[in-house]
Amino acid sequence: MELEEHAYDVVVIGAGGAGLRAAIAAHEAGARTAVVCKSLLGKAHTVMAEGGIAAAMGNLYPEDNWRVHFRDTMRGGKMLNHWRMAQLHAQEAPDRVRELEDWGALFDRTDAGLISQRDFGGHRYARLAHVGDRTGLELIRTLQQRTVALGIDVFMECTVTRLLTDDVGIVGAFGYWRESGRFVAWQAPSVVLATGGIGKAYKVTSNSWEYTGDGHSLALQAGASLVNMEFVQFHPTGMVWPPSVRGLLVTESVRGDGGILKNSAGNRFMFDYIPDFFRKETAETEEEADRWYTDKKNNRRPPELLPRDEVARAINSEVKAGRGTDHGGVWLDIASRRSPEYIRKRLPSMYHQFKELADVDITKEAMEIGPTCHYVMGGVEVEPDSQAAKVTGLFAAGEVAGGMHGSNRLGGNSLSDLLVFGRRAGVAAAENARNRAGRVRLADDALTSAARAALAPFEREGGENPYTVQHDLQQTMHDLVGIIRTEAEMKGALERIAELKERVANLSVDGHRQYNPGWHLALDLPHMLLVSECIARAALERQESRGGHTRDDFPTADPEWGKTNLICSRGPGGDVGVRRQPLPQMPSDLAEIFEETA
Amino acid sequence: MSYDAKFRVWRGDASGGELRDFTVQVNEGEVVLDIIHRLQATQAGDLAVRWNCKAGKCGSCSAEINGRPRLMCLTRMSTFAEDEVVTVTPMRTFPVIRDLVTDVSYNYAKAAQIPAFTPQARDDDGNHRMAQIDVERSQEFRKCIECFLCQDTCHVIRDHEENKKVFAGPRFLIRLAELDMHPLDTVDRREAAQDVFGLGYCNITKCCTEVCPEGIHLTDNGIIPMKERVVDRKYDPLTWLGSKIGRRRTD
């Protein structure tokens, strides 16, 4: 077998924000580090993040600090977040933003010349460090340039298909170059998963093609566990028209900067959907909500800025009640509320996106929007301080890791999550590599088996087209495991997923190995199916509604379930099992924060 | 609302290839990338194409559409007549890998040569202070999504392979301009711009500006000011003398 082999201390899989930050940290800790990514460097899904990086820097509101940020994050996640991750995140985010500035990032400024901070849903104070509405691009370009400046090796357009383990833990990874289809293996005692999310299992999604759940699946197959996979975030505002852009994100900043939601009758409906949990901090009248934009101290927040799960469910309800637009969405209106200059200045990339893709001028017209699959809160179960998974040598950071966001993520907390836990994973991976130096070896039979599995779709004749199977999976998840769920739907989904598994085992692909997207999809599909099964199984098990998981047959949050995590793991026969595990107990000094700031 | 469009798509690899004709359904609101995806799913499962975001944010789906360097995701089908043949070919400045995918490693090699950002020290309270108006100059260039369409259209490298050794192309000239205008940066890259990255090869035909999907004014706001600053340093005798005797700052 023709195989290119490399040896590193740390291999990072994924070159989005978390992956690059992890690689920089590992490199700076002295580890020989490689980054492997499916696309060209700088193209990861992080470039699409718009709003900003949540960090309690206090540049606009000196009252803001990590304790308030911690509180907002836990409440946004309906208290199911791992308290320690939420704490570390809130404490370390400001330093991670400052360090980006030292690497060349140019954030928008306040009048005092400091880093500007903008409002987002669920955050008590304006807290998002941003660059217009293209913060993700700024973040990834800065990390990319730092990675290049440090001389870290990057394997671009290279896909990992398997993690390799011995009886202790990780020994490396196996994959192929997309360009040539040739195989490559990395020997390494530490692997950091930073592969992002699972959105491509859904039909309407804001995610790029890379979000096929490979990191979740690779971890599971290597023996790690996944936590709370039932929590999938549907971002309330995706484009719904024209059909070819359905799902593309409309940043939450549109609402933070004054945009409001209206139904087809022209009513500002969010006032009808304020949950008791957030009533104290939400405006009761349109007048109060509108005053808040200029006087945040004496007024409460507009209900448009409730956390994402609340807004997505409200939109869903309006459309279901027959008050939606012709294309099944609602209106997001900033045109009638802000001047064209203001809109173009604060939301340049939204202006551009609607103009170019939908031929809509958002300074003149309302946007037609609806919920879109955006983010998976569930992910690899990790130790909060080190991001270590349950397999020695395996680490996970960013969207592929679970626990940080509980049942619902606040906007802006993703980019800060990438930086805080990317860095921690890189440091811990480097340390693990030092401890296991010289003790890992790639076994020939494991490499041969990985190669054989990767080539199987070429061996089969007359099998199904992978694009058809992907389409059917996306339809299944859209119809049955979407925003609102029931027991019967989850059972139906699991039956269909079982059928899809058989079809995937029988795929065949055209052509040869060189840059063959049909083949690449055939290898991504088993990952998508495994992750979809985890979501459906966990969603069936959790008999309550909380955050990104809403059960029509159990419509309220249940205090007992509020103390329970659901853990997916793989049994010896390869089946996915789900078990309940108690939530870690929050120490009393942190619990006090909820009393003092209530 | 649907119709059948005629597409001609280049298929082949480094050893050669040809334009192939396809008839493919087009629906309301679709862009060229939607049609290429439909071709993949229904007629050519192994058709190679790069893409990520399909929203004009990642700069992956660069190609030439009817001979013009464009992003496939930002080219609406409604801009073509229904009976018009739409021709899609790979970027010509870079070697073909397969079908619409080209080898853009030249760009990454040039990026690696650029002297890194080097900030001045923070204020005593741990902050950097900058005025919005000052950061906006560099911010314009930081909007670059690295689609490399400017590189594709630049005739200095499009028609002269040999120039790639000595010329970095518009993307990296504006990267240098961005660093040069960065309020915190302390490194002088003007000599390198001229001698290593070939700033002098640019004869400001503005083709790069015309094709930029982000609307960055590469030539007017980036390359020309950079050329002026290089000239100022090289040929102004007072600046030269000042820098030698250390009486005048070199910027």
Side-chain angles (χ1 to χ4, degrees):
Chain A
M1 178 179 60
E2 196 186 348
L3 178 72
E4 179 185 329
E5 286 192 52
H6 300 271
Y8 286 95
D9 297 324
V10 175
V11 170
V12 178
I13 306 175
L20 293 178
R21 188 63 191 84
I24 291 167
H27 173 91
E28 287 179 339
R32 290 170 303 151
T33 304
V35 180
V36 185
C37 54
K38 293 203 288 188
S39 286
L40 294 173
L41 180 61
K43 308 297 183 189
H45 184 73
T46 308
V47 300
M48 294 166 73
E50 291 157 351
I53 309 172
M57 309 180 82
N59 287 352
L60 276 178
Y61 293 90
E63 305 90 315
D64 199 16
N65 57 50
W66 76 263
R67 296 162 75 87
V68 192
H69 191 182
F70 169 76
R71 169 193 176 274
D72 291 348
T73 299
M74 293 293 300
R75 280 174 63 83
K78 307 290 168 0
M79 306 302 285
L80 218 59
N81 323 49
H82 195 305
W83 62 268
R84 178 65 177 158
M85 291 178 85
Q87 179 190 20
L88 290 171
H89 167 260
Q91 288 173 334
E92 295 179 4
D95 279 346
R96 298 286 78 76
V97 171
R98 285 188 199 102
E99 125 199 304
L100 285 182
E101 203 171 41
D102 281 330
W103 298 343
L106 267 175
F107 292 99
D108 286 348
R109 317 308 294 185
T110 66
D111 291 343
L114 302 175
I115 292 175
S116 170
Q117 306 207 263
R118 73 159 26 140
D119 283 299
F120 243 49
H123 292 279
R124 190 177 181 109
Y125 298 109
R127 182 181 285 149
L128 269 65
H130 67 102
V131 186
D133 53 1
R134 51 166 193 84
T135 316
L137 176 68
E138 187 72 11
L139 178 111
I140 202 159
R141 203 61 85 227
T142 303
L143 293 177
Q144 170 187 349
Q145 285 159 357
R146 180 76 179 167
T147 302
V148 169
L150 293 172
I152 296 170
D153 292 344
V154 182
F155 293 75
M156 285 190 238
E157 299 201 303
C158 197
T159 300
V160 170
T161 62
R162 273 195 192 176
L163 297 180
L164 304 170
T165 50
D166 62 10
D167 47 10
V168 176
I170 292 289
V171 295
F174 178 91
Y176 64 88
W177 289 102
R178 300 176 79 81
E179 177 178 332
S180 60
R182 294 205 177 99
F183 294 127
V184 54
W186 301 265
Q187 178 182 297
S190 293
V191 166
V192 179
L193 293 170
T195 51
I198 55 100
K200 276 297 169 190
Y202 283 83
K203 188 173 138 191
V204 180
T205 177
S206 65
N207 292 174
S208 75
W209 71 268
E210 296 188 277
Y211 269 33
T212 53
D214 18 358
H216 291 78
S217 163
L218 290 170
L220 209 53
Q221 294 178 64
S225 49
L226 307 183
V227 58
N228 292 344
M229 289 302 290
E230 65 279 25
F231 296 123
V232 177
Q233 180 169 78
F234 287 81
H235 192 291
T237 61
M239 292 172 81
V240 301
W241 190 257
S244 70
V245 295
R246 197 175 173 102
L248 265 189
L249 207 63
V250 180
T251 173
E252 195 164 322
S253 322
V254 176
R255 283 170 284 141
D257 286 339
I260 56 169
L261 293 165
K262 290 184 193 165
N263 60 23
S264 55
N267 294 326
R268 190 172 170 184
F269 59 82
M270 278 308 300
F271 288 95
D272 304 333
Y273 294 92
I274 303 167
D276 287 338
F277 192 68
F278 292 107
R279 197 169 291 282
K280 267 205 241 168
E281 56 203 60
T282 310
E284 272 169 56
T285 63
E286 291 193 27
E287 292 70 31
E288 181 182 4
D290 287 348
R291 284 197 303 268
W292 174 85
Y293 291 104
T294 46
D295 177 7
K296 295 192 169 81
K297 288 209 174 111
N298 299 309
N299 298 286
R300 290 169 296 176
R301 312 167 58 77
E304 278 85 2
L305 290 176
L306 283 165
R308 290 176 171 175
D309 52 333
E310 309 291 353
V311 183
R313 266 194 303 273
I315 294 172
N316 200 58
S317 303
E318 283 295 300
V319 174
K320 250 189 173 167
R323 295 188 289 271
T325 63
D326 290 346
H327 303 118
V330 295
W331 299 112
L332 172 58
D333 172 25
I334 192 163
S336 73
R337 304 194 21 106
R338 296 281 183 260
S339 71
E341 297 73 44
Y342 181 91
I343 296 169
R344 277 197 294 266
K345 169 88 192 151
R346 296 281 292 188
L347 303 162
S349 127
M350 278 304 101
Y351 175 75
H352 188 242
Q353 177 176 318
F354 271 87
K355 199 91 188 101
E356 296 283 338
L357 297 172
D359 208 10
V360 165
D361 181 347
I362 66 167
T363 67
K364 297 198 178 83
E365 296 171 64
M367 294 161 254
E368 210 171 342
I369 56 90
T372 176
C373 175
H374 182 55
Y375 189 90
V376 59
M377 274 69 71
V380 179
E381 193 184 12
V382 291
E383 283 296 318
D385 287 68
S386 65
Q387 300 293 103
K390 298 253 185 273
V391 173
T392 301
L394 186 62
F395 303 82
E399 190 170 351
V400 69
M404 161 65 208
H405 304 287
S407 68
N408 172 51
R409 176 175 70 78
L410 295 185
N413 270 1
S414 176
L415 293 187
S416 40
D417 169 9
L418 304 179
L419 296 169
V420 168
F421 294 107
R423 176 186 152 276
R424 282 186 163 270
V427 169
E431 190 187 338
N432 173 72
R434 275 195 297 279
N435 297 337
R436 293 198 68 212
R439 286 192 237 156
V440 297
R441 197 183 61 81
L442 298 178
D444 287 341
D445 55 340
L447 297 170
T448 313
S449 144
R452 200 181 305 124
L455 291 176
F458 286 114
E459 313 291 322
R460 287 187 289 262
E461 294 285 331
E464 242 188 311
N465 172 350
Y467 297 97
T468 313
V469 179
Q470 183 188 26
H471 175 270
D472 292 352
L473 171 66
Q474 290 171 331
Q475 194 70 50
T476 297
M477 295 303 282
H478 180 83
D479 293 342
L480 300 177
V481 200
I483 298 190
I484 311 288
R485 303 159 173 181
T486 66
E487 180 179 322
E489 286 173 349
M490 291 314 108
K491 288 185 169 163
L494 286 166
E495 279 170 28
R496 284 210 217 163
I497 288 168
E499 289 162 19
L500 287 163
K501 271 189 183 168
E502 286 173 22
R503 290 168 64 188
V504 163
N506 193 33
L507 292 175
S508 45
V509 295
D510 298 333
H512 53 78
R513 285 163 68 176
Q514 190 189 31
Y515 220 113
N516 186 335
W519 177 42
H520 303 165
L521 179 57
L523 298 182
D524 284 340
L525 271 167
H527 297 313
M528 274 188 262
L529 274 169
L530 188 56
V531 168
S532 298
E533 181 177 353
C534 291
I535 296 170
R537 284 203 189 281
L540 177 64
E541 183 77 7
R542 183 175 288 274
Q543 296 182 337
E544 66 157 351
S545 292
R546 181 183 298 271
H549 170 70
T550 304
R551 282 282 296 263
D552 222 8
D553 39 0
F554 298 94
T556 53
D558 176 338
E560 278 310 304
W561 274 109
K563 300 176 199 157
T564 309
N565 283 329
L566 287 177
I567 307 296
C568 284
S569 52
R570 226 159 154 250
D575 294 339
V576 174
V578 184
R579 63 186 167 78
R580 300 178 189 195
Q581 179 174 291
L583 208 63
Q585 185 70 40
M586 189 187 294
S588 56
D589 58 324
L590 289 179
E592 281 167 14
I593 290 177
F594 296 89
E595 284 142 38
E596 77 195 38
T597 56
Chain B
M1 298 300 246
S2 300
Y3 69 98
D4 284 335
K6 294 214 169 0
F7 262 67
R8 305 193 82 191
V9 180
W10 195 88
R11 297 217 61 187
D13 55 29
S15 63
E18 60 186 1
L19 286 166
R20 298 262 185 88
D21 291 313
F22 296 94
T23 301
V24 54
Q25 191 186 326
V26 175
N27 304 318
E28 184 179 3
E30 287 186 330
V31 294
V32 168
L33 187 57
D34 289 308
I35 311 309
I36 296 294
H37 283 160
R38 187 162 298 125
L39 272 176
Q40 275 185 328
T42 58
Q43 302 179 43
D46 59 344
L47 172 65
V49 58
R50 277 196 187 105
W51 72 286
N52 279 51
C53 75
K54 202 173 168 286
K57 291 191 167 72
C58 76
S60 298
C61 63
S62 311
E64 298 187 9
I65 299 168
N66 291 347
R68 279 188 68 82
R70 308 281 297 266
L71 290 179
M72 286 185 262
C73 73
L74 286 187
T75 307
R76 286 203 304 273
M77 286 304 297
S78 61
T79 58
F80 304 106
E82 289 192 6
D83 58 356
E84 191 174 348
V85 178
V86 179
T87 304
V88 188
T89 50
M91 289 192 284
R92 204 176 90 184
T93 295
F94 310 110
V96 164
I97 294 174
R98 191 173 179 204
D99 301 337
L100 300 175
V101 174
T102 55
D103 174 1
V104 291
S105 53
Y106 156 75
N107 301 291
Y108 287 91
K110 293 294 178 189
Q113 292 171 12
I114 292 192
F117 172 74
T118 311
Q120 62 192 46
R122 289 181 166 270
D123 296 346
D124 290 342
D125 67 352
N127 287 302
H128 285 303
R129 284 180 175 75
M130 293 178 267
Q132 180 65 27
I133 196 166
D134 293 328
V135 305
E136 277 171 12
R137 293 179 75 205
S138 286
Q139 278 183 338
E140 177 183 0
F141 308 123
R142 292 186 70 87
K143 285 197 310 200
C144 171
I145 57 175
E146 299 201 328
C147 62
F148 306 132
L149 290 176
C150 57
Q151 306 284 81
D152 182 44
T153 203
C154 178
H155 58 272
V156 178
I157 40 179
R158 186 176 173 98
D159 302 322
H160 300 279
E161 185 65 28
E162 70 278 12
N163 284 348
K164 285 183 180 170
K165 278 200 202 81
V166 289
F167 182 64
R171 189 307 168 235
F172 299 99
L173 298 182
I174 65 153
R175 168 79 178 130
L176 290 164
E178 171 213 314
L179 289 164
D180 192 51
M181 296 176 194
H182 196 302
L184 298 182
D185 189 58
T186 55
V187 174
D188 190 339
R189 296 177 184 76
R190 282 176 290 182
E191 201 170 300
Q194 190 74 2
D195 300 343
V196 181
F197 299 101
L199 181 63
Y201 281 76
C202 167
N203 42 21
I204 49 177
T205 52
K206 301 198 186 186
C207 312
C208 52
T209 302
E210 277 174 33
V211 298
C212 177
E214 283 292 312
I216 299 170
H217 297 96
L218 289 90
T219 325
D220 287 348
N221 293 352
I223 297 173
I224 291 174
M226 196 69 195
K227 277 177 177 273
E228 285 168 349
R229 285 162 68 79
V230 167
V231 168
D232 173 64
R233 175 201 173 100
K234 266 201 147 131
Y235 303 113
D236 178 352
L238 274 182
T239 308
W240 177 84
L241 187 65
S243 71
K244 288 290 167 201
I245 59 177
R247 288 278 175 85
R248 183 173 157 174
R249 290 184 56 195
T250 53
D251 57 353

